[in-house]
Amino acid sequence: MRGSPLERLRERLAEVHDLTKAATLLLWDQRVMMPPGGAEARAEALGTVSRLAQERFIDDEVGRLLEELRGLEESSDYDSFEASLVRTTRREYEKATRVPPELVGEVRRASALGLSAWGPAKESSDFEQLRPHLEQQLELRHRYVSCFPPADETYDVLLDDYEPLMKTAEVRQVFDDLKQDLVPLIEEIGDAGAVDDSFLHGEFDPAVQRELGLEIVRAFGYSPDEWRLDPTGHPFMTTPGAGDIRLTSNFRPHDLSSLFATMHEFGHGVYEWGVDRSLARTPLHSGVSLAVHESQSRTWENLVGRSRAFWRWFYPRLQRGFEAQLGTVDEEAFFRAVTKVQPSLIRIDADEVTYNLHIILRFELEQDLIDGRLEVSDLPQAWNERMESYLGVEVPDDARGVLQDMHWSGGAVGYFPTYALGNVISVQIWERAIEELGDLDDRFERGEFGDLREWLREHLYVLGAKFTPQETIERVTGSRIDAKPYLRYLREKLAPQVA
Ligand code: ZN
């Protein structure tokens, strides 16, 4: 046998990594470039490449190497590359080898079928079309859970796939804190009267939007050597490898939401971009979890991109780009419009405050479904009741209610909480950055974002996935996940609307 066990493990993991990244590129191409006719062939290709990656990873040889490396892991510093690689890989390997390949295949097929049923069901606002798929997804989730040792709560096992080692009870605590403060805050803001945002709806040339979006992210740290920005329907970020960051945005012709989507995806991109390059082609070369990832997209979208200082810099430029639409709208009016709080039906269009309640509602319904307290057939009604009680809005049809998101159709249960956890974590990290860097407003007003980006890179991005999400958060912020800083931030920022 060639090489040390560590070298052999690295070689094997590099192959798995390359195959996974090939799948990433196939997916990027599918969503950005591919003509619709390629769908069937692409599904086959994706299936093959993903299966090969999975087979290479769960191979007995990986298990043997991990055993051989126990001594090295124990004798190496916890923070070292060697110890981190073996520790992280062992955890993933133990999880992956518990699930029989037949079940993996069945889950993948059901996911593809569920997702393709979702579009038409939503289109015709017909929950019945989707119901059997959701029932099957739940059944498969239960079979998946049964592959693992019993947890405190069934939901723990599902959550772990998106937010490793996070417990449902901990999420519940954070969300209870959020709910307790946000429901009355929304009522207060609602009573304070409407903010005019009519000028955000009109004709906005998509080509100009893209140009402006690029100008913003260039100031943030985008460079054409290592980044791309392309149009797509549902914005996302992906990276086929180190030094290759792909952002996408939806340049809708009737509003300016693409600017915020572009900043959001930049936040995901810059996290991946900043991971230590010495971790390349290992499982450590990636953001650590969905919630921590979302904390960075929310940082660049909301903490930077929805700040007064940011618009003091960029608003004159935006006005020049859309003279006819915004020439007579002053900066303060624009700022209030893009930070307006108003309960609404659709999660992805929700403001900074109400967004969290859309997530809490989904988190609670997911647990009710998985614990058998709620039947799938009763889901639309339960959804509508909770929308009324948390947000005070009446759901007119299932398309704008329970059918609006695709996650459950594809079997993703336990994913939603990471969005709101990301909001919470974003402000915890932000407060640490401000403590060390001082107030950033002057720098933002001059269009300077490098100090913030570099602080985040040095303290967070560079770590990649060497530690658990909780360890990562504690290393950066000095504390565990906590809703208080985020609630304080929302109150301070949106107080003018209440006053
Ligand atoms: Zn995101």
Side-chain angles (χ1 to χ4, degrees):
M1 278 277 184
R2 297 164 295 117
S4 69
L6 185 71
E7 281 163 13
R8 280 184 281 141
L9 181 69
R10 278 200 77 156
E11 205 174 300
R12 173 64 69 118
L13 294 175
E15 282 178 8
V16 173
H17 184 85
D18 291 346
L19 286 166
T20 309
K21 289 303 185 183
T24 296
L25 191 54
L26 288 173
L27 260 178
W28 175 85
D29 177 84
Q30 176 174 355
R31 295 179 63 177
V32 175
M33 303 295 282
M34 189 188 81
E40 221 167 293
R42 182 57 48 91
E44 299 288 348
L46 264 169
T48 302
V49 178
S50 314
R51 184 170 47 73
L52 287 173
Q54 164 89 355
E55 282 170 6
R56 290 298 281 165
F57 183 59
I58 61 169
D59 192 82
D60 291 345
E61 172 68 1
V62 174
R64 273 193 296 276
L65 288 169
L66 286 170
E67 277 314 305
E68 279 181 60
L69 286 163
R70 269 189 200 277
L72 179 73
E73 184 194 356
E74 278 154 24
S75 63
S76 304
D77 184 48
Y78 188 86
D79 288 17
S80 68
F81 169 76
E82 292 79 8
S84 301
L85 183 74
V86 175
R87 185 173 67 233
T88 307
T89 305
R90 176 176 295 115
R91 197 181 122 71
E92 285 178 22
Y93 179 79
E94 282 172 1
K95 275 191 77 170
T97 49
R98 281 181 173 277
V99 188
E102 308 80 62
L103 182 56
V104 173
E106 227 178 304
V107 164
R108 235 179 239 147
R109 266 193 306 282
S111 172
L113 287 172
L115 285 172
S116 53
W118 170 71
K122 183 185 170 193
E123 198 85 354
S124 51
S125 192
D126 181 5
F127 183 74
E128 263 317 290
Q129 282 186 37
L130 200 64
R131 188 182 48 78
H133 292 281
L134 294 179
E135 282 165 353
Q136 168 158 42
Q137 294 297 1
L138 273 185
E139 197 253 324
L140 285 168
R141 292 293 83 200
H142 279 291
R143 279 169 57 195
Y144 178 78
V145 168
S146 69
C147 301
F148 295 87
D152 297 343
E153 302 183 46
T154 310
Y155 194 84
D156 285 348
V157 180
L158 303 176
L159 182 64
D160 195 86
D161 283 355
Y162 306 103
E163 207 51 34
L165 300 163
M166 176 79 86
K167 293 280 179 222
T168 312
E170 192 168 14
V171 179
R172 195 179 293 124
Q173 179 61 55
V174 172
F175 283 7
D176 284 348
D177 290 347
L178 285 182
K179 198 159 75 172
Q180 200 184 337
D181 265 42
L182 293 183
V183 172
L185 179 64
I186 290 164
E187 274 169 25
E188 271 176 65
I189 294 171
D191 292 343
V195 171
D196 179 22
D197 64 352
S198 54
F199 46 83
L200 293 178
H201 306 278
E203 299 289 317
F204 296 98
D205 182 352
V208 178
Q209 290 188 47
R210 180 167 183 279
E211 214 32 66
L212 291 166
L214 272 173
E215 232 171 274
I216 294 170
V217 292
R218 274 197 203 110
F220 287 177
Y222 173 111
S223 84
D225 310 346
E226 299 189 309
W227 300 66
R228 290 185 59 91
L229 172 63
D230 295 279
T232 192
H234 295 276
F236 66 99
M237 181 286 305
T238 195
T239 163
D244 181 357
I245 309 292
R246 313 275 176 111
L247 310 182
T248 65
S249 195
N250 184 2
F251 304 99
R252 303 198 292 209
H254 301 296
D255 62 50
L256 291 170
S257 61
S258 81
L259 296 178
F260 296 97
T262 303
M263 289 189 262
H264 181 101
E265 300 309 333
F266 170 84
H268 284 302
V270 74
Y271 186 8
E272 294 288 328
W273 171 85
V275 175
D276 192 337
R277 293 279 167 98
S278 72
L279 306 177
R281 296 181 79 219
T282 78
L284 307 182
H285 193 259
S286 135
V288 71
S289 73
L290 290 182
V292 179
H293 236 294
E294 197 67 7
S295 79
Q296 292 315 294
S297 57
R298 291 303 192 173
T299 293
W300 291 93
E301 175 194 1
N302 288 335
L303 305 183
V304 177
R306 282 193 171 86
S307 69
R308 273 204 166 75
F310 171 85
W311 287 107
R312 201 148 300 148
W313 166 61
F314 200 70
Y315 191 59
R317 178 67 194 91
L318 182 69
Q319 275 185 309
R320 282 201 301 283
F322 294 112
E323 187 64 47
Q325 298 86 336
L326 298 172
T328 61
V329 177
D330 68 27
E331 185 195 299
E332 180 62 18
F334 181 82
F335 173 74
R336 292 187 62 146
V338 297
T339 53
K340 177 178 178 172
V341 176
Q342 186 172 45
S344 60
L345 292 164
I346 307 297
R347 174 184 65 86
I348 59 167
D349 295 328
D351 58 77
E352 278 186 85
V353 179
T354 59
Y355 187 89
N356 303 289
L357 291 170
H358 288 270
I359 297 303
I360 292 171
L361 170 149
R362 287 159 175 76
F363 170 66
E364 292 174 350
L365 291 176
E366 286 182 339
Q367 292 169 76
D368 288 347
L369 285 168
I370 211 78
D371 292 338
R373 290 187 296 270
L374 179 66
E375 294 292 325
V376 171
S377 53
D378 296 329
L379 184 57
Q381 199 196 337
W383 178 286
N384 298 351
E385 283 168 6
R386 253 173 251 228
M387 282 298 285
E388 173 86 52
S389 109
Y390 296 169
L391 286 163
V393 298
E394 206 175 304
V395 180
D397 51 51
D398 289 338
R400 283 173 283 180
V402 68
L403 292 175
Q404 65 181 271
D405 293 311
M406 64 172 81
H407 303 58
W408 292 341
S409 315
V413 177
Y415 188 121
F416 280 120
T418 65
Y419 291 123
L421 292 172
N423 288 338
V424 167
I425 298 164
S426 72
V427 179
Q428 288 185 268
I429 294 175
W430 176 264
E431 286 194 346
R432 285 292 301 133
I434 302 295
E435 262 175 59
E436 287 190 22
L437 294 171
D439 188 68
L440 291 166
D441 284 357
D442 289 350
R443 280 165 269 189
F444 288 0
E445 283 177 26
R446 292 194 300 270
E448 293 168 16
F449 304 94
D451 291 346
L452 175 65
R453 183 194 63 241
E454 287 307 302
W455 189 93
L456 291 167
R457 191 174 65 78
E458 274 171 39
H459 291 84
L460 172 64
Y461 304 163
V462 73
L463 301 178
K466 280 176 75 176
F467 308 107
T468 70
Q470 194 65 253
E471 286 169 347
T472 304
I473 295 165
E474 286 193 43
R475 271 164 199 254
V476 182
T477 69
S479 57
R480 293 182 73 81
I481 184 162
D482 175 13
K484 281 191 285 302
Y486 178 59
L487 287 166
R488 209 159 47 225
Y489 153 81
L490 286 179
R491 267 208 178 265
E492 272 168 29
K493 181 170 185 177
L494 302 159
Q497 294 194 10
V498 183

